[in-house]
Amino acid sequence: MKSVLVVGLGRFGRHMAAKLIEEGNEVLAVDINEERVNDALDLVTNAQIGDTTNEHFIASLGVGNFDLCVVAIGDNFQSSLETTALLKDYGAPFVLSRANRDVHAKFLLRNGADKVVYPEREMAERLAVKFGTENIFDYIELTPDYSIYEIPVPVPWVGKSIVEKGVRNKYHISILAVKEQEEIYPLPRPEYVFRGSETLIIMGHYKDVRALAKAR
C-alpha cells in the first residue's frame, strides 16, 4: 500500500484517486473548491479544502511522508506549476504532474515534476490506434517506439507452432501471452500451436507490428 496525495479533483483527479483507492492505496485528496472536495468524500480515504499554492498549507500536509504526489490540476497552469514546485521544495519524493501542452511539460519538469503525463493526448492516441488500425485490438505504449499490442492470430500461423513460424527471428516480436475469450495464458512455450480462435498479446516495435498486421 502506498500513501498518495492527489491535488485537483476535476475529472482526471477524481478518476485517479478512485483507481488508487481501488488498488489498495491510502489517498488524501485536496482541492481549493469546496464542492469538488465534498463530492469526493465517498471516494477517498481523506479529503481537504486548501490552496496548494500557499506554502503554509503545503507545509501542513507533510508531503515528505507521501510515496507519490499527483498534481492533477488541469484548468490553471500557474497553480499546477506553483504546486509542483512547492511539493518538491517541501520534500515530496516523487511528483507526477498533469500537462496539456508540451511547453507546460517543460516548465513542470524544470520546476520539480519527476514525471509528466498528458491524459487527453495519451487516451486519444490509444483510441486512435485501437479503432483506427486494422487488426490491432488494443495497445499500451512503453516508449515512443515499443508497445504491447493485442492482435488476432495471422491466418497463415494457424496450425503452426511458435518455433515453426520463427516468430521472434522473422517478425521481431515477442509473444507475452495468449488470450482466449477472457482467459489469459502467459508466456506460451515454443511448441505452442496456434488455433486461430485466440488473440495474441505481443511486444514489439510499432513498425514490425504494423507490418505483421498488414501482411495478413
Side-chain angles (χ1 to χ4, degrees), residues 19 29 37 56 92 97 105 107 128 133 144 155 180 189 196 209 211 214:
K19 189 61 178 178
V37 171
H56 297 295
S97 297
F107 279 108
T133 306
V155 174
E180 186 143 20
R189 298 176 63 84
V209 175
K214 291 178 181 178

Side-chain angles (χ1 to χ4, degrees), residues 123-203:
M123 179 55 70
E125 289 176 352
R126 181 175 182 182
L127 291 174
V129 172
K130 181 175 180 178
F131 292 103
T133 306
E134 190 175 4
N135 295 320
I136 292 179
F137 297 151
D138 205 353
Y139 99 118
I140 300 171
E141 183 178 279
L142 302 176
T143 72
D145 292 330
Y146 286 87
S147 298
I148 295 174
Y149 299 82
E150 181 181 355
I151 67 170
V153 175
V155 174
W157 292 15
V158 176
K160 305 291 185 179
S161 68
I162 293 175
V163 69
E164 281 182 287
K165 294 304 298 181
V167 172
R168 180 172 294 181
N169 293 329
K170 184 176 180 180
Y171 299 97
H172 312 294
I173 63 169
S174 296
I175 299 178
L176 304 180
V178 173
K179 178 180 176 183
E180 186 143 20
Q181 295 180 347
E182 297 304 316
E183 295 294 326
I184 295 285
Y185 305 96
L187 300 176
R189 298 176 63 84
E191 59 269 22
Y192 176 83
V193 175
F194 300 107
R195 296 187 295 275
S197 57
E198 69 271 60
T199 59
L200 305 177
I201 311 299
I202 65 171
M203 181 180 71

